[in-house]
Amino acid sequence: REMVRYNIDVNQLDGLYVGGSTGENFMLGTAEKKRVFEIAMDEAKGSDIDLIAQVGSPNLHEAKELAKFVTELGYKTISAVTPFYYNFNFDEIKHYYDEIVKDVDTKLVVYSIPALTGVALSLDNFAKLFENEKIIGVKYTNADFYLLERLRERFPDKLILSGFDEMLLPALALDVDGAIGSTFNINAKKAKAEIAAFEAGDIAKARQLQHESNDLITDLLNNGIYATLKLVFEELGVHAGYTREPMAKATPEVKAGAKRIYEKYFK
């Protein structure tokens, strides 16, 4: 609850992507996922913040159950990671998405993250997915900027949200509609300033802000990003808990590194 409140009240984010990688979603049970969705919705009531519920799972039955659950909670948009591990073919992937949205009155954003799922959707693959009117866009966590440019050109009315924090500036240059990122939990103000600078035509300032963010991202990655994000939250006065096994608990060295990151960038 404190992390959600911090993102709403302090970071003043436009939206929250609930149940993503940073939330360690793929190590949670179904009941735990539902509780996370409930808490985020409860804390967001009365605010203007948009919520996207990531319900994807290699278990299609779970994904459909979660899609129904969050729709009844009041989520207007859901998302689903491409099914992974079994090297599904595209017909199977398309069936997965069509099934998730079939029985719910909601819109879906495809979560494309090839580096972690091994699923690289092509331009024609996206075209076939977008034939389903309920599939409105993509969370594009992919370093293939040629494909991103082709997507934007071919689908000007689809929602494209950049998923790589360290590549926000080039994504903005290709006219994405926004960005979703792990480090925005603690670095949202700088990311928002970068977007504002880009939109104002101040590319030099936007580039400098991206450089500063990438310094932070490099330090977070080198210290172990999941544990360190939580530890920096703690330094900010937000009780963020600890990473779930099989992720390792933070060692004294990781804790010390997180404190240095806090003092360097946020104190």
Side-chain angles (χ1 to χ4, degrees), residues 64-81:
K64 293 182 68 173
E65 179 182 343
L66 291 174
K68 183 174 184 294
F69 178 79
V70 297
T71 301
E72 291 174 351
L73 275 180
Y75 284 78
K76 304 301 182 186
T77 310
I78 63 174
S79 184
V81 69

Side-chain angles (χ1 to χ4, degrees), residues 83-244:
F84 50 87
Y85 182 82
Y86 288 103
N87 194 26
F88 297 100
N89 64 42
F90 178 71
D91 287 340
E92 292 168 328
I93 292 169
K94 186 176 186 303
H95 174 74
Y96 162 88
Y97 282 113
D98 289 339
E99 279 294 305
I100 290 173
V101 296
K102 183 176 69 173
D103 299 320
V104 291
D105 183 18
T106 190
K107 303 298 183 184
L108 183 141
V109 174
V110 174
Y111 182 10
S112 178
I113 181 167
L116 294 183
T117 61
V119 179
L121 297 171
S122 69
L123 188 64
D124 287 340
N125 289 158
F126 279 111
K128 290 178 181 178
L129 291 175
F130 290 154
E131 288 173 359
N132 188 323
E133 292 182 355
K134 290 184 177 181
I135 300 177
I136 61 169
V138 56
K139 179 182 185 290
Y140 189 86
T141 309
N142 188 344
D144 185 345
F145 282 88
Y146 170 70
L147 177 59
L148 177 57
E149 189 278 333
R150 295 288 83 191
L151 272 174
R152 179 77 291 167
E153 176 67 20
R154 187 165 174 181
F155 306 107
D157 298 325
K158 292 298 182 181
L159 182 67
I160 302 179
L161 299 167
S162 174
F164 270 134
D165 312 22
E166 64 271 31
M167 302 180 193
L168 175 58
L169 183 55
L172 290 171
L174 291 174
D175 199 26
V176 295
D177 299 292
I180 298 170
S182 300
T183 64
F184 298 162
N185 282 283
I186 59 173
N187 195 43
K189 292 179 181 178
K190 186 158 291 186
K192 291 178 72 174
E194 180 180 336
I195 293 171
F198 177 84
E199 291 178 343
D202 192 344
I203 304 303
K205 181 178 180 181
R207 188 185 303 119
Q208 177 59 32
L209 289 167
Q210 184 69 72
H211 169 73
E212 293 172 8
S213 290
N214 284 357
D215 283 346
L216 167 63
I217 291 167
T218 298
D219 287 346
L220 289 169
L221 290 170
N222 288 340
N223 202 58
I225 189 166
Y226 293 105
T228 305
L229 284 171
K230 295 175 186 291
L231 291 166
V232 172
F233 256 140
E234 294 286 344
E235 295 290 340
L236 292 166
V238 178
H239 295 95
Y242 49 84
T243 49
R244 167 163 293 204

